[in-house]
Structures are given as structure tokens and as C-alpha cells.
């Protein structure tokens, strides 16, 4: 998919020079220097386009590169954009346009697990006032700048009264600072929110939540509009921005088959161009992409098509 984006950028004469690092088959024993080079590149350039890196489920001690990168760079705000597009593929809901903003650096993904005695594992969920204030302000600022009308805080404060209770209280406090802007604030328990997202997604506008809840809700949202292949995303911090697909699927089952949908990564790259004030190039690529999707003649299998990644890429380039 990265090759697809680079080919389209080249055809559109985008003035971006890529420093490329292949971490798809990362091995901590042999590739530590390659990872350091990638991180140094991000710190030097301040912006990156990234695919989702595979994390084995069963391998003990294998730290997620995705989570580690977000923590090391303090790219604390994860943004996934769940939105219906014009197209002929099957969707479960219409009028979906949701921005899911999740805190990237703590919560259940703090990575603090240990075994005090054999057969017992303790996993710590970390919630701090400082980082909750930061993500809440990001969500309300995003709503303000993008003409959004409502922010919904998703939590489980009825059970996790201290951790999620703090998250909810801080979000309520920050909401008061934006009342004069006319942005409505609501909160919802995460299990109810999952049901509501499936049954009546149009009630949501901007969602702010912790890491795990945002991951689950982003995947539910993707299923409503056509799948993870069309959900763009970004990770934003005070100093760096890393753009990547909004649903964190590696697609290992279709690896090497040339059938992956590059739309999510391409849309993420378009938002990257806008962040770099390359709006003309972003407009040209997005116009071409949306035309290909709307016509529905050249689509990958996840969107009920039969075309390959290469054919889809060539069609986007042809429409430029």
C-alpha cells in the first residue's frame, strides 16, 4: 500500500521526498538499528506516513511497535474518521460521519503487566488528569475547528469509578470551557455506546475516549461503512504527526496477494498533505480517488470489487 501511495504522489507531482523504512518483518534481535533510523527520521522531519505494523499475540516480550512509537513520540491524540462515501459497495448504515479521538499513551495500553505469583497476572490501567485534560481539549478544539456540534465522552465509570471516573470528570470540566462555543457535551457508557453506534450512528459527531474503547469503536464504525480499508487516521502530538489508517489492521491474511485496499492509507496521506499546506495536491488526489470509488468500476475485493491493488492504483492515477 505504501508503494501505491508513492506511485500516486509521483504521478501527481507531489513535492515530497520519502525516507522509507521497511519494518513489516521487524525482529528486535536484528532490526533495532533500522527502528532507530525510522524514529530519527520522524524526529527530524516531524511528519510521517506509516502502515500498521504486525504484533504477534502469542509472543511474550514482543512489544507493539505501534504503541511504543506513539509513546516515544508522545503523539497522544489518535484520530479515526468514520464516514460514508459515495460508492456501490454494501454498507450497514447511512449518514455516518464520526470522528473518534482516543488517548494514545496510557489507559489499558500502558503496557504494565506482571505475574506476582504463578497463574495470576496483574495488568494496570493508567489514567492521569494531565493526559485526560490534553485529549479532552484536543477533542473540543477539533470540534470547534471542523464545525462539529457535539462531543461524546465514552467511559465505564459505573464500574471503574476511579480510573474512568477521573476521565469522565475531567471531560465534563473541559466541556464547560467550551459552552460559549455552542458545542454540546454528552457521555455514554461504552457497552451502550457500542450498541448505539450500530443501531443509530448518526447521533454521534465527535467521540473522545480512552485507548481500548477507541480501538473497539473504530472497528465497529468501520464495519458500518464498508470496512477498515476506507478509514483514514492520524496520530497527533505537540511536536510530531504520524498519519496511518484509522483501523489498525495489518491484513496479514491477504499479505502478498495484491488485493489490499490502499484507500485508508491514501486518505491518510491526503490529510498529511493538508497538514503540510499542500492543499492543491491533496485536492487533486482526493478528487481522483473519490471519483474512482464513486464510479465503482475498479474496486478491491473488500468493496465488492475484483480488482487488484495495482489496478486500483493505476485507475486513481488515470483519473488525475
Amino acid at each position: 500500500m505504501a508503494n501505491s501511495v508513492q506511485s500516486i504522489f509521483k504521478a501527481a507531482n507531489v513535492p515530497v521526498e520519502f525516507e522509507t523504512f521497511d519494518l513489516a518483518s521487524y525482529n528486535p534481535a536484528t532490526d533495532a538499528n533500522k527502528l532507530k533510523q525510522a524514529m530519527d527520521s520522524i524526529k527530524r522531519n516531524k511528519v510521517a506516513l506509516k502502515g500498521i505494523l504486525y504484533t504477534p499475540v502469542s509472543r511474550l516480550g514482543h512489544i507493539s511497535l505501534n504503541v511504543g512509537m506513539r509513546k516515544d513520540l508522545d503523539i497522544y491524540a489518535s484520530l479515526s474518521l468514520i464516514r460514508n462515501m459515495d460508492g456501490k459497495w454494501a454498507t450497514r448504515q447511512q449518514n455516518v460521519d464520526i470522528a473518534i479521538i482516543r488517548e494514545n499513551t496510557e489507559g489499558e495500553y500502558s503496557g504494565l503487566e506482571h505475574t506476582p505469583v504463578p497463574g495470576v497476572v496483574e495488568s494496570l490501567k493508567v489514567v492521569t488528569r494531565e493526559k485526560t485534560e490534553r485529549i479532552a481539549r484536543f477533542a473540543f478544539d477539533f470540534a470547534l475547528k471542523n464545525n462539529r456540534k457535539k462531543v461524546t465522552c465514552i467511559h465505564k465509570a459505573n464500574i471503574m469509578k476511579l480510573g474512568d471516573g477521573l476521565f469522565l470528570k475531567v471531560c465534563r470540566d473541559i466541556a464547560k470551557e467550551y459552552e460559549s462555543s455552542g458545542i454540546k457535551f454528552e457521555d455514554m457508557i461504552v457497552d451502550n455506546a457500542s450498541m448505539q453506534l450500530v443501531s443509530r450512528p448518526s447521533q454521534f459527531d465527535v467521540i473522545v475516549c480512552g485507548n481500548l474503547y477507541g480501538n473497539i469503536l473504530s472497528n465497529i464504525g468501520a464495519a458500518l461503512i464498508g470496512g477498515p480499508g476506507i478509514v483514514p487516521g492520524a496520530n497527533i502530538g505537540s511536536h510530531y504527526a504520524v498519519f496511518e489508517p484509522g483501523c489498525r489492521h495489518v491484513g496479514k491474511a491477504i499479505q502478498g496477494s495484491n488485493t489490499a485496499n490502499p484507500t485508508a492509507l491514501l486518505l491518510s496521506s491526503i490529510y498529511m498533505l493538508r497538514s503540510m499546506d499542500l492543499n492543491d495536491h491533496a485536492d487533486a488526489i482526493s478528487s481522483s480517488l473519490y471519483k474512482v470509488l464513486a464510479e465503482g468500476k475498479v474496486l478491491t475485493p473488500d468493496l465488492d470489487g475484483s480488482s487488484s491493488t495495482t489496478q486500483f492504483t493505476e485507475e486513481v492515477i488515470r483519473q488525475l
Side-chain angles (χ1 to χ4, degrees):
M1 294 194 295
N3 290 335
S4 174
V5 171
Q6 290 184 37
S7 297
I8 293 168
F9 272 34
K10 182 178 180 180
N13 297 312
V14 177
V16 168
E17 179 182 345
F18 283 102
E19 294 180 357
T20 304
F21 302 91
D22 183 3
L23 296 173
S25 56
Y26 174 78
N27 185 329
T30 58
D31 296 329
N33 188 58
K34 185 186 294 186
L35 176 61
K36 185 180 185 305
Q37 289 176 345
M39 294 295 287
D40 288 345
S41 175
I42 297 173
K43 292 174 181 178
R44 183 171 59 250
N45 296 315
K46 312 297 183 185
V47 64
L49 183 67
K50 170 185 165 295
I52 306 301
L53 303 176
Y54 176 64
T55 303
V57 174
S58 59
R59 189 184 302 173
L60 294 178
H62 187 100
I63 299 172
S64 168
L65 294 183
N66 303 292
V67 174
M69 185 177 294
R70 294 167 198 137
K71 288 184 177 180
D72 289 347
L73 298 173
D74 196 29
I75 42 179
Y76 62 89
S78 170
L79 171 65
S80 298
L81 296 173
I82 312 292
R83 184 174 60 195
N84 285 118
M85 300 179 192
D86 289 337
K88 299 178 181 179
W89 60 88
T91 60
R92 289 175 170 82
Q93 292 283 4
Q94 296 297 322
N95 302 316
V96 179
D97 186 3
I98 307 168
I100 299 179
I101 295 170
R102 55 191 269 207
E103 209 292 321
N104 245 347
T105 62
E106 54 181 21
E108 293 87 353
Y109 289 22
S110 58
L112 301 175
E113 294 183 313
H114 67 280
T115 304
V117 295
V120 177
V121 174
E122 292 181 342
S123 181
L124 300 181
K125 173 176 178 173
V126 178
V127 180
T128 63
R129 176 178 295 275
E130 177 186 5
K131 292 190 175 182
T132 303
E133 285 184 354
R134 188 169 65 168
I135 196 65
R137 291 187 193 281
F138 183 95
F140 279 95
D141 285 340
F142 178 89
L144 197 61
K145 293 173 182 176
N146 292 277
N147 198 32
R148 300 276 184 160
K149 305 302 182 185
K150 182 171 68 173
V151 174
T152 304
C153 171
I154 306 300
H155 62 90
K156 190 65 176 174
N158 60 324
I159 301 298
M160 289 174 274
K161 298 183 185 297
L162 292 179
D164 279 27
L166 175 62
F167 192 94
L168 175 58
K169 182 182 183 304
V170 170
C171 286
R172 284 173 173 170
D173 291 343
I174 298 300
K176 294 175 183 177
E177 300 177 15
Y178 290 82
E179 285 180 343
S180 62
S181 301
I183 298 175
K184 187 178 179 182
F185 175 74
E186 293 181 350
D187 69 87
M188 191 176 294
I189 294 172
V190 64
D191 36 348
N192 182 35
S194 300
M195 179 187 69
Q196 295 291 335
L197 187 58
V198 171
S199 61
R200 198 161 59 90
S202 59
Q203 68 183 289
F204 296 104
D205 194 352
V206 175
I207 288 175
V208 62
C209 56
N211 215 335
L212 178 61
Y213 304 156
N215 192 4
I216 295 170
L217 294 176
S218 295
N219 281 272
I220 293 174
L224 300 179
I225 63 169
I230 56 174
V231 177
N235 301 278
I236 309 296
S238 300
H239 304 290
Y240 311 108
V242 177
F243 295 82
E244 66 179 351
C247 283
R248 295 162 183 178
H249 291 260
V250 294
K252 197 166 181 62
I254 57 172
Q255 182 179 8
S257 64
N258 195 27
T259 59
N261 186 350
T263 298
L265 190 63
L266 186 55
L267 285 171
S268 301
S269 75
I270 290 169
Y271 290 119
M272 180 187 73
L273 293 180
R274 297 200 188 285
S275 77
M276 301 164 69
D277 291 327
L278 295 173
N279 290 304
D280 289 344
H281 295 87
D283 290 342
I285 296 172
S286 61
S287 176
S288 174
L289 173 62
Y290 287 133
K291 187 174 182 180
V292 172
L293 292 173
E295 288 182 349
K297 297 177 182 178
V298 182
L299 297 177
T300 47
D302 61 310
L303 298 181
D304 301 333
S306 58
S307 300
S308 67
T309 307
T310 301
Q311 291 169 328
F312 182 88
T313 302
E314 291 172 346
E315 182 63 13
V316 173
I317 291 172
R318 191 183 71 81
Q319 296 282 4
L320 282 170

